[in-house]
Amino acid sequence: MANIKQLAYLLLSIIFILGGYRAYSQPGNRVKQVADLGIPEPELAVKINGVSMMAGGAMLGLGILPRMAAAGLFLALIPTTIAGHAFWKEETEAGRKAQQIQFAKNLGLLGGLLLTLAGRKAKR
Protein backbone atom coordinates (compact mmCIF):
# COMPACT_ATOMS: atom_id res chain seq x y z
CA MET A 1 0.00 0.00 0.00
CA ALA A 2 2.89 2.35 0.70
CA ASN A 3 4.06 1.98 -2.91
CA ILE A 4 0.62 2.91 -4.22
CA LYS A 5 0.52 5.97 -1.97
CA GLN A 6 3.98 7.06 -3.15
CA LEU A 7 2.95 6.57 -6.78
CA ALA A 8 -0.19 8.65 -6.14
CA TYR A 9 1.92 11.44 -4.61
CA LEU A 10 4.26 11.35 -7.61
CA LEU A 11 1.44 11.45 -10.15
CA LEU A 12 -0.35 14.25 -8.31
CA SER A 13 2.86 16.28 -8.06
CA ILE A 14 3.67 16.41 -11.77
CA ILE A 15 1.09 19.03 -12.73
CA PHE A 16 2.23 21.30 -9.91
CA ILE A 17 5.90 21.05 -10.85
CA LEU A 18 5.26 21.66 -14.55
CA GLY A 19 2.62 24.35 -14.01
CA GLY A 20 4.72 26.08 -11.37
CA TYR A 21 7.73 26.13 -13.67
CA ARG A 22 5.68 27.62 -16.50
CA ALA A 23 4.18 30.27 -14.20
CA TYR A 24 7.64 31.25 -12.95
CA SER A 25 9.50 31.17 -16.27
CA GLN A 26 6.70 32.49 -18.50
CA PRO A 27 4.26 34.53 -16.41
CA GLY A 28 2.64 35.93 -19.59
CA ASN A 29 -1.12 36.48 -19.40
CA ARG A 30 -1.23 35.30 -15.78
CA VAL A 31 0.11 38.72 -14.72
CA LYS A 32 -2.91 40.50 -16.21
CA GLN A 33 -5.30 37.99 -14.64
CA VAL A 34 -3.74 38.55 -11.21
CA ALA A 35 -3.66 42.33 -11.69
CA ASP A 36 -7.38 42.24 -12.57
CA LEU A 37 -7.99 40.75 -9.10
CA GLY A 38 -6.33 43.81 -7.54
CA ILE A 39 -3.32 41.92 -6.20
CA PRO A 40 -0.28 44.23 -5.88
CA GLU A 41 2.94 43.34 -7.72
CA PRO A 42 1.12 40.85 -9.95
CA GLU A 43 4.21 39.53 -11.74
CA LEU A 44 5.95 38.87 -8.44
CA ALA A 45 2.78 37.21 -7.11
CA VAL A 46 2.64 34.92 -10.16
CA LYS A 47 6.30 33.98 -9.76
CA ILE A 48 5.97 33.34 -6.01
CA ASN A 49 2.93 31.17 -6.68
CA GLY A 50 4.92 29.28 -9.33
CA VAL A 51 7.85 28.68 -6.99
CA SER A 52 5.53 27.53 -4.22
CA MET A 53 3.89 25.06 -6.59
CA MET A 54 7.24 23.73 -7.78
CA ALA A 55 8.51 23.34 -4.21
CA GLY A 56 5.29 21.80 -2.93
CA GLY A 57 5.06 19.51 -5.94
CA ALA A 58 8.65 18.35 -5.50
CA MET A 59 8.10 17.71 -1.80
CA LEU A 60 4.89 15.79 -2.48
CA GLY A 61 6.43 13.77 -5.31
CA LEU A 62 9.41 12.80 -3.17
CA GLY A 63 7.22 12.02 -0.16
CA ILE A 64 8.85 14.75 1.95
CA LEU A 65 6.30 16.02 4.48
CA PRO A 66 3.49 15.17 2.06
CA ARG A 67 0.68 16.52 4.22
CA MET A 68 2.45 19.86 4.64
CA ALA A 69 3.19 19.94 0.91
CA ALA A 70 -0.46 19.18 0.13
CA ALA A 71 -1.61 21.98 2.45
CA GLY A 72 0.65 24.49 0.71
CA LEU A 73 -0.41 23.31 -2.73
CA PHE A 74 -4.06 23.49 -1.71
CA LEU A 75 -3.64 27.11 -0.63
CA ALA A 76 -1.68 28.01 -3.77
CA LEU A 77 -4.21 26.36 -6.08
CA ILE A 78 -7.22 28.34 -4.84
CA PRO A 79 -6.14 31.76 -6.21
CA THR A 80 -4.76 30.06 -9.33
CA THR A 81 -8.15 28.51 -10.01
CA ILE A 82 -10.09 31.73 -9.41
CA ALA A 83 -7.75 33.97 -11.39
CA GLY A 84 -6.83 31.58 -14.17
CA HIS A 85 -10.07 29.79 -14.90
CA ALA A 86 -12.84 32.35 -14.38
CA PHE A 87 -15.25 30.68 -16.79
CA TRP A 88 -18.02 33.04 -15.69
CA LYS A 89 -16.13 35.92 -17.33
CA GLU A 90 -15.72 34.24 -20.71
CA GLU A 91 -17.61 35.86 -23.53
CA THR A 92 -17.74 32.93 -25.93
CA GLU A 93 -19.35 29.55 -25.40
CA ALA A 94 -16.13 27.79 -26.47
CA GLY A 95 -14.05 29.87 -24.05
CA ARG A 96 -16.51 29.25 -21.23
CA LYS A 97 -16.49 25.49 -21.82
CA ALA A 98 -12.68 25.37 -21.99
CA GLN A 99 -12.35 27.28 -18.72
CA GLN A 100 -15.04 25.16 -17.05
CA ILE A 101 -12.99 22.07 -17.87
CA GLN A 102 -9.85 23.64 -16.40
CA PHE A 103 -11.80 24.82 -13.34
CA ALA A 104 -13.20 21.31 -12.83
CA LYS A 105 -9.71 19.82 -13.26
CA ASN A 106 -8.46 22.07 -10.50
CA LEU A 107 -11.36 21.03 -8.28
CA GLY A 108 -10.26 17.43 -8.83
CA LEU A 109 -6.69 18.37 -7.88
CA LEU A 110 -8.00 20.07 -4.74
CA GLY A 111 -9.84 16.83 -3.94
CA GLY A 112 -6.66 14.81 -4.36
CA LEU A 113 -4.82 17.21 -2.08
CA LEU A 114 -7.59 16.92 0.52
CA LEU A 115 -7.26 13.14 0.40
CA THR A 116 -3.54 13.56 1.06
CA LEU A 117 -4.30 15.88 3.98
CA ALA A 118 -6.82 13.41 5.40
CA GLY A 119 -4.39 10.48 5.11
CA ARG A 120 -3.06 8.77 8.17
CA LYS A 121 0.52 9.09 9.25
CA ALA A 122 2.64 6.07 8.49
CA LYS A 123 3.08 3.65 11.37
CA ARG A 124 6.63 3.16 12.49
Side-chain angles (χ1 to χ4, degrees), residues 17-28 30-31 43 46-51 54:
I17 295 168
L18 293 176
Y21 176 74
R22 284 190 195 111
Y24 178 78
S25 64
Q26 302 167 2
R30 293 175 190 91
V31 175
E43 184 170 355
V46 168
K47 288 186 172 195
I48 288 171
N49 187 267
V51 168
M54 283 189 292

Side-chain angles (χ1 to χ4, degrees), residues 4-100:
I4 291 174
K5 186 184 268 189
Q6 186 58 44
L7 178 60
Y9 290 163
L10 181 62
L11 294 173
L12 186 56
S13 74
I14 292 169
I15 196 163
F16 293 105
I17 295 168
L18 293 176
Y21 176 74
R22 284 190 195 111
Y24 178 78
S25 64
Q26 302 167 2
N29 191 44
R30 293 175 190 91
V31 175
K32 182 186 178 318
Q33 293 169 328
V34 170
D36 288 348
L37 292 174
I39 296 172
E41 299 291 335
E43 184 170 355
L44 181 61
V46 168
K47 288 186 172 195
I48 288 171
N49 187 267
V51 168
S52 69
M53 287 195 176
M54 283 189 292
M59 287 175 62
L60 183 63
L62 295 170
I64 300 168
L65 301 171
R67 293 173 77 191
M68 182 183 294
L73 289 169
F74 188 91
L75 293 174
L77 190 56
I78 292 170
T80 298
T81 301
I82 293 168
H85 305 301
F87 62 88
W88 54 92
K89 292 182 178 179
E90 288 294 323
E91 295 178 10
T92 67
E93 185 64 23
R96 193 170 16 267
K97 285 182 180 180
Q99 290 305 324
Q100 283 175 331

